[in-house]
Amino acid sequence: DGGITQSPKYLFRKEGQNVTLSCEQNLNHDAMYWYRQDPGQGLRLIYYSQIVNDFQKGDIAEGYSVSREKKESFPLTVTSAQKNPTAFYLCASGNGYTFGSGTRLTVV
Amino acid sequence: GDSVTQMEGPVTLSEEAFLTINCTYTATGYPSLFWYVQYPGEGLQLLLKATKADDKGSNKGFEATYRKETTSFHLEKGSVQVSDSAVYFCALSATNFGNEKLTFGTGTRLTIIP
């Protein structure tokens, strides 16, 4: 079945650590997106990529980095520069119609 | 810039009640409009969409009509069920051409009681 796979489902990060969230799609979509969701808020765009080897900052890119070396994959790294990384992270592809099931990141 | 404003929650209704969740938008050009649903601990699922003025999107008994004159896309359902309990997000994308990022409202939590 086609879809988007995000892993891990839960992730714990220590202060000062970088962590990478995985997003893989087999839908042959060109565009991929990363959103952050905080309680009681809508989704905010972190980064997006409309084609391999190209990506753009979204509204809240500070403290995050991405790469797009393959069409199927768009990993997100949460760096130590992100001061409040605890949130639910959602990956999407295509024209935004298809979302993964999310990764819940917690700082411990 | 583009923005979406939706009804503050939480909304609590009895089973079989009529549901309306209001959504208005601000955008340049001719955006596409969407409703997404999120069940606890899960990602978002597309519920319905409309790509031009006066279009009506519908799915699973939910409906919403793209009203350009009032810049609105209100979600309605005639008779809600307990299984409809979820968070609902209104969103827009800037153009109809695909591969465009979405702008979301803050979400409305809906709880249906038996």
Side-chain angles (χ1 to χ4, degrees):
Chain A
D1 287 339
I4 299 179
T5 301
Q6 287 189 243
S7 62
K9 190 171 178 66
Y10 299 96
L11 185 57
F12 298 90
R13 192 194 93 168
K14 294 181 180 179
E15 296 278 355
Q17 263 186 346
N18 292 354
V19 290
T20 298
L21 284 60
S22 171
C23 177
E24 303 277 333
Q25 55 102 356
N26 60 3
L27 299 165
N28 201 35
H29 288 159
D30 288 316
M32 297 186 74
Y33 310 83
W34 275 105
Y35 291 90
R36 170 180 171 142
Q37 184 178 20
D38 293 284
Q41 298 190 34
L43 278 68
R44 293 181 290 168
L45 183 65
I46 305 172
Y47 268 97
Y48 64 105
S49 167
Q50 294 186 319
I51 197 168
V52 174
N53 292 323
D54 187 46
F55 49 82
Q56 288 79 40
K57 293 181 179 180
D59 301 318
I60 55 165
E62 185 175 351
Y64 300 97
S65 66
V66 294
S67 62
R68 187 80 188 280
E69 298 176 0
K70 299 187 301 181
K71 189 174 187 178
E72 301 79 19
S73 179
F74 191 41
L76 173 74
T77 296
V78 184
T79 75
S80 57
Q82 171 49 240
K83 297 307 179 189
N84 185 23
T86 295
F88 190 47
Y89 291 86
L90 288 160
C91 179
S93 74
N95 46 13
Y97 296 168
T98 308
F99 279 80
S101 56
T103 293
R104 188 166 300 280
L105 173 62
T106 304
V107 173
V108 295
Chain B
D2 297 342
S3 67
V4 175
T5 302
Q6 65 179 101
M7 184 172 167
E8 291 279 339
V11 174
T12 303
L13 295 172
S14 297
E15 203 166 21
E16 299 183 1
F18 184 86
L19 168 71
T20 300
I21 301 178
N22 290 338
C23 172
T24 58
Y25 68 90
T26 303
T28 55
Y30 303 95
S32 293
L33 301 173
F34 307 86
W35 277 101
Y36 287 85
V37 59
Q38 184 178 36
Y39 298 100
E42 297 184 11
L44 273 65
Q45 300 174 25
L46 178 65
L47 182 59
L48 53 84
K49 65 181 175 77
T51 57
K52 61 183 187 296
D54 299 324
D55 268 2
K56 178 185 281 189
S58 61
N59 186 25
K60 299 180 182 179
F62 291 89
E63 294 183 339
T65 301
Y66 189 151
R67 302 285 189 200
K68 188 168 173 58
E69 64 276 11
T70 55
T71 61
S72 65
F73 193 54
H74 304 322
L75 183 68
E76 297 181 335
K77 186 175 185 183
S79 176
V80 292
Q81 306 300 314
V82 172
S83 57
D84 294 326
S85 298
V87 180
Y88 292 82
F89 291 93
C90 185
L92 67 83
S93 84
T95 75
N96 292 329
F97 303 128
N99 291 339
E100 292 289 339
K101 59 189 177 75
L102 295 164
T103 299
F104 286 87
T106 54
T108 302
R109 181 175 299 278
L110 173 66
T111 301
I112 307 301
I113 52 177

